[in-house]
């Protein structure tokens, strides 16, 4: 087994991350990602999490939310179009995960972001987009559970993707 | 004399590989290549930017201990080094030329607010944005 900090392995895992970045609206099942990285399916998810701190599926969710947020902010596209373009299976799933991650509804974010837009034109847009990416350090389901449970400490549980 | 930044270095996993990449595929020219034992000071230069050198440095002893060098190589391979920006006159043309030479693009050319940008990585993992200068 290759050590987790082997630069050649990390470089190949980065390729899978880059591919999700380039096409986050596409479906990225583990077998597809593992193939991009030249890693076995059994080892891919763990290796990816060790390298980048989040499981691959959760990383993909943050990218989709980032893209959707940008479209909400920068375009007048209807939310249903944005959901379709950014790779969600349904409006319901999108709305729920969007709220769980960002703490507000897509419509509320659109209003707030458009009101706040100013002064960021000097930063390359591609870099700015990454900087405002949601920082999803826990599973969406866990975040949902914590917010439902108020301040009580959540049960220790197997981490969901 | 003109004052200012003269050299900025990248960490690369293999200097020969990096030199071939930046010269043959991206279009830089070799500027300085000096060896002293295991240490090699290697810089390249953009043909239109004679006042600036891009260093291609391999982390390792005696400058940096082996364990730290391993960490640095890992950080580069994870794409965690700061972004680099290459300014080009025609992003789509540069993309086509570099792609045909086998450059690993992370983002195809995209129109963005009146300009065009693309993304690529060097073999070590350093990430570049290639942005078309505004006319």
């Amino acid at each position: 087994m290759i050590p987790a900090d082997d630069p050649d392995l990390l470089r190949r895992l980065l390729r899978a991350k880059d591919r999700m970045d380039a096409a986050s609206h596409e479906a990225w099942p583990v077998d597809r990602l593992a193939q991009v990285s030249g890693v076995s399916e059994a080892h891919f998810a763990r290796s990816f999490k060790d390298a980048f701190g989040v499981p691959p599926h959760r990383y993909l969710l943050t990218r989709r939310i980032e893209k959707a947020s940008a479209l909400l902010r920068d375009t007048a596209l209807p939310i249903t179009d944005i959901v379709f373009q950014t790779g969600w299976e349904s409006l319901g799933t999108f709305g729920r995960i969007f709220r769980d991650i960002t703490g507000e509804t897509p419509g509320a974010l659109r209003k707030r972001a458009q009101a706040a837009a100013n002064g960021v034109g000097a930063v390359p847009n591609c870099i700015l987009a990454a900087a405002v990416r949601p920082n999803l350090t826990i599973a969406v389901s866990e975040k949902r559970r914590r917010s439902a449970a108020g301040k009580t400490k959540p049960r220790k549980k197997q981490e969901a993707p | 004399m003109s004052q200012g930044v003269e050299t900025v270095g990248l960490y690369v996993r293999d200097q020969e590989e990096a030199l071939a990449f930046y010269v043959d595929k991206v279009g830089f020219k070799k500027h300085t290549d000096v060896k002293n034992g295991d240490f090699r000071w290697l810089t390249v230069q953009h043909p239109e930017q004679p006042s600036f050198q891009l260093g291609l440095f391999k982390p390792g002893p005696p400058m940096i201990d082996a364990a730290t060098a391993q960490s640095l190589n890992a950080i580069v391979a994870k794409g965690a080094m700061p972004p680099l920006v290459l300014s080009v006159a025609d992003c789509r043309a540069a993309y086509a030329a570099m792609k045909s030479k086998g450059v690993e693009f992370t983002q195809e050319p995209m129109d963005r607010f009146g300009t065009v940008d693309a993304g690529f990585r060097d073999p070590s993992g350093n990430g570049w944005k290639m942005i078309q200068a505004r006319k």
Side-chain angles (χ1 to χ4, degrees), chain B residues 52-87:
Chain B
F52 182 81
Q53 296 169 53
L54 183 69
L56 306 175
F57 304 132
K58 183 174 168 58
M63 314 286 279
I64 291 168
D65 68 274
T68 305
Q70 169 83 5
S71 301
L72 290 169
N73 282 325
I75 288 165
V76 174
K78 286 201 256 189
M81 294 301 272
L84 300 153
V85 179
L86 183 67
S87 180

Coordinates of all heavy atoms in Angstrom, one line a residue, chain B residues 52-87:
Chain B
F52 N 12.1 39.6 -15.1 CA 11.5 38.6 -14.1 C 12.0 37.2 -14.4 O 11.9 36.8 -15.5 CB 10.0 38.7 -14.0 CG 9.4 37.8 -13.0 CD1 9.3 38.2 -11.7 CD2 8.9 36.6 -13.4 CE1 8.8 37.4 -10.7 CE2 8.3 35.7 -12.4 CZ 8.3 36.1 -11.1
Q53 N 12.4 36.5 -13.3 CA 12.7 35.1 -13.5 C 11.8 34.2 -12.6 O 11.5 34.6 -11.4 CB 14.2 34.8 -13.0 CG 15.2 35.5 -13.9 CD 16.6 35.4 -13.3 OE1 17.0 34.4 -12.9 NE2 17.2 36.6 -13.1
L54 N 11.4 33.1 -13.1 CA 10.6 32.1 -12.3 C 11.6 31.0 -11.9 O 12.1 30.3 -12.8 CB 9.5 31.6 -13.2 CG 8.5 30.6 -12.5 CD1 7.7 31.3 -11.5 CD2 7.6 30.0 -13.6
G55 N 11.8 30.8 -10.6 CA 12.7 29.8 -10.2 C 12.0 28.4 -10.1 O 10.8 28.4 -9.7
L56 N 12.7 27.4 -10.5 CA 12.2 26.0 -10.4 C 13.1 25.3 -9.4 O 14.1 24.8 -9.8 CB 12.2 25.4 -11.8 CG 11.5 26.2 -12.9 CD1 11.6 25.5 -14.2 CD2 10.0 26.3 -12.6
F57 N 12.6 25.2 -8.2 CA 13.5 24.7 -7.1 C 13.0 23.4 -6.5 O 11.8 23.3 -6.3 CB 13.6 25.8 -6.0 CG 14.1 27.1 -6.5 CD1 13.4 28.3 -6.1 CD2 15.2 27.2 -7.3 CE1 13.9 29.5 -6.6 CE2 15.7 28.5 -7.7 CZ 15.0 29.6 -7.4
K58 N 13.9 22.5 -6.3 CA 13.5 21.3 -5.7 C 13.9 21.3 -4.2 O 15.0 21.5 -3.9 CB 14.3 20.1 -6.4 CG 13.9 18.7 -5.8 CD 14.6 17.7 -6.7 CE 14.5 16.3 -6.0 NZ 13.1 15.9 -5.8
P59 N 12.9 21.2 -3.4 CA 13.2 21.2 -1.9 C 14.0 20.0 -1.5 O 13.7 18.9 -1.9 CB 11.8 21.3 -1.3 CG 10.9 20.6 -2.3 CD 11.4 20.9 -3.6
G60 N 15.0 20.2 -0.7 CA 15.8 19.1 -0.2 C 17.0 19.6 0.5 O 17.4 20.7 0.5
P61 N 17.8 18.6 1.1 CA 19.0 18.9 1.7 C 20.0 19.5 0.7 O 19.9 19.1 -0.5 CB 19.5 17.6 2.2 CG 18.3 16.7 2.2 CD 17.4 17.2 1.1
P62 N 20.9 20.4 1.1 CA 21.2 20.8 2.5 C 20.3 22.0 2.9 O 20.3 22.4 4.1 CB 22.6 21.2 2.4 CG 22.8 21.8 1.0 CD 21.9 20.9 0.2
M63 N 19.5 22.6 2.0 CA 18.7 23.8 2.4 C 17.6 23.4 3.3 O 17.3 24.1 4.2 CB 18.2 24.5 1.1 CG 19.1 24.6 0.0 SD 20.3 25.9 0.3 CE 19.3 27.4 -0.1
I64 N 16.9 22.3 3.0 CA 15.7 21.9 3.7 C 15.9 20.4 4.0 O 16.2 19.6 3.1 CB 14.5 22.1 2.8 CG1 14.3 23.6 2.6 CG2 13.3 21.5 3.4 CD1 13.3 24.0 1.6
D65 N 15.6 20.0 5.2 CA 15.7 18.6 5.6 C 14.8 17.7 4.9 O 13.7 18.2 4.4 CB 15.5 18.5 7.2 CG 14.1 18.8 7.5 OD1 13.8 19.9 7.8 OD2 13.3 17.8 7.6
A66 N 15.1 16.4 4.9 CA 14.3 15.5 4.0 C 12.9 15.4 4.4 O 12.0 15.4 3.5 CB 15.0 14.1 4.1
A67 N 12.6 15.4 5.7 CA 11.2 15.3 6.1 C 10.4 16.5 5.7 O 9.2 16.4 5.2 CB 11.1 15.1 7.6
T68 N 11.0 17.7 5.8 CA 10.3 19.0 5.4 C 10.1 19.0 3.9 O 9.1 19.4 3.4 CB 11.1 20.2 5.9 OG1 11.3 20.1 7.3 CG2 10.3 21.5 5.6
A69 N 11.1 18.5 3.2 CA 11.0 18.4 1.7 C 9.9 17.6 1.3 O 9.1 17.9 0.4 CB 12.4 17.9 1.1
Q70 N 9.7 16.4 2.0 CA 8.6 15.5 1.7 C 7.3 16.2 1.9 O 6.4 16.1 1.1 CB 8.7 14.3 2.6 CG 7.5 13.4 2.6 CD 7.5 12.4 1.4 OE1 8.4 12.3 0.6 NE2 6.4 11.6 1.3
S71 N 7.2 17.0 3.0 CA 5.9 17.7 3.2 C 5.7 18.8 2.2 O 4.6 19.0 1.7 CB 6.0 18.5 4.6 OG 6.2 17.5 5.6
L72 N 6.7 19.5 1.8 CA 6.6 20.5 0.7 C 6.2 19.9 -0.6 O 5.3 20.4 -1.3 CB 7.9 21.3 0.5 CG 8.3 22.2 1.7 CD1 9.7 22.7 1.5 CD2 7.3 23.4 1.8
N73 N 6.8 18.7 -1.0 CA 6.4 18.0 -2.2 C 4.9 17.6 -2.1 O 4.2 17.7 -3.1 CB 7.3 16.8 -2.4 CG 8.6 17.2 -3.0 OD1 8.7 18.2 -3.8 ND2 9.7 16.5 -2.6
A74 N 4.5 17.2 -0.9 CA 3.1 16.8 -0.8 C 2.1 18.0 -0.9 O 1.1 17.9 -1.5 CB 2.9 16.1 0.6
I75 N 2.5 19.1 -0.3 CA 1.7 20.3 -0.4 C 1.5 20.7 -1.9 O 0.4 21.1 -2.3 CB 2.3 21.4 0.5 CG1 2.1 21.1 2.0 CG2 1.6 22.8 0.2 CD1 2.9 21.9 2.9
V76 N 2.6 20.7 -2.6 CA 2.6 21.1 -4.0 C 1.7 20.1 -4.8 O 0.8 20.5 -5.6 CB 4.0 21.1 -4.7 CG1 3.9 21.4 -6.2 CG2 4.8 22.2 -4.0
A77 N 1.8 18.8 -4.5 CA 1.1 17.8 -5.2 C -0.4 17.8 -4.9 O -1.2 17.4 -5.7 CB 1.6 16.4 -4.8
K78 N -0.7 18.4 -3.7 CA -2.2 18.6 -3.4 C -2.7 19.8 -4.0 O -3.9 20.2 -3.7 CB -2.3 18.6 -1.8 CG -2.2 17.3 -1.2 CD -2.8 17.3 0.2 CE -1.8 17.3 1.3 NZ -2.5 17.1 2.6
G79 N -1.9 20.6 -4.7 CA -2.4 21.8 -5.3 C -2.7 22.9 -4.3 O -3.5 23.8 -4.5
A80 N -1.9 22.9 -3.2 CA -2.2 23.8 -2.1 C -1.3 25.1 -2.1 O -1.4 25.9 -1.2 CB -2.1 23.1 -0.8
M81 N -0.4 25.2 -3.1 CA 0.4 26.4 -3.2 C -0.4 27.5 -3.8 O -1.4 27.3 -4.4 CB 1.6 26.1 -4.1 CG 2.6 25.1 -3.5 SD 3.2 25.5 -1.8 CE 4.7 26.5 -2.4
P82 N 0.1 28.8 -3.6 CA -0.7 29.9 -4.0 C -0.9 30.0 -5.5 O -0.1 29.4 -6.3 CB 0.1 31.1 -3.6 CG 1.1 30.6 -2.6 CD 1.3 29.2 -2.9
P83 N -2.0 30.6 -6.0 CA -2.3 30.6 -7.4 C -1.2 31.5 -8.2 O -0.7 32.4 -7.6 CB -3.7 31.3 -7.5 CG -3.9 32.0 -6.2 CD -3.0 31.3 -5.2
L84 N -1.0 31.1 -9.4 CA -0.1 31.8 -10.3 C -0.9 32.2 -11.5 O -1.9 31.6 -11.9 CB 1.0 30.8 -10.8 CG 1.9 30.2 -9.7 CD1 2.4 28.9 -10.1 CD2 3.0 31.2 -9.3
V85 N -0.6 33.4 -12.0 CA -1.4 33.9 -13.1 C -0.5 34.3 -14.3 O 0.5 35.0 -14.1 CB -2.2 35.2 -12.7 CG1 -3.0 35.8 -13.9 CG2 -3.1 34.9 -11.5
L86 N -0.8 33.7 -15.4 CA -0.1 34.0 -16.6 C -0.9 34.8 -17.5 O -2.1 34.5 -17.8 CB 0.3 32.6 -17.3 CG 1.1 32.7 -18.6 CD1 2.5 33.2 -18.3 CD2 1.2 31.4 -19.3
S87 N -0.4 36.0 -18.0 CA -1.2 36.8 -18.8 C -0.9 36.5 -20.3 O 0.3 36.5 -20.6 CB -0.8 38.3 -18.5 OG -1.5 39.2 -19.3

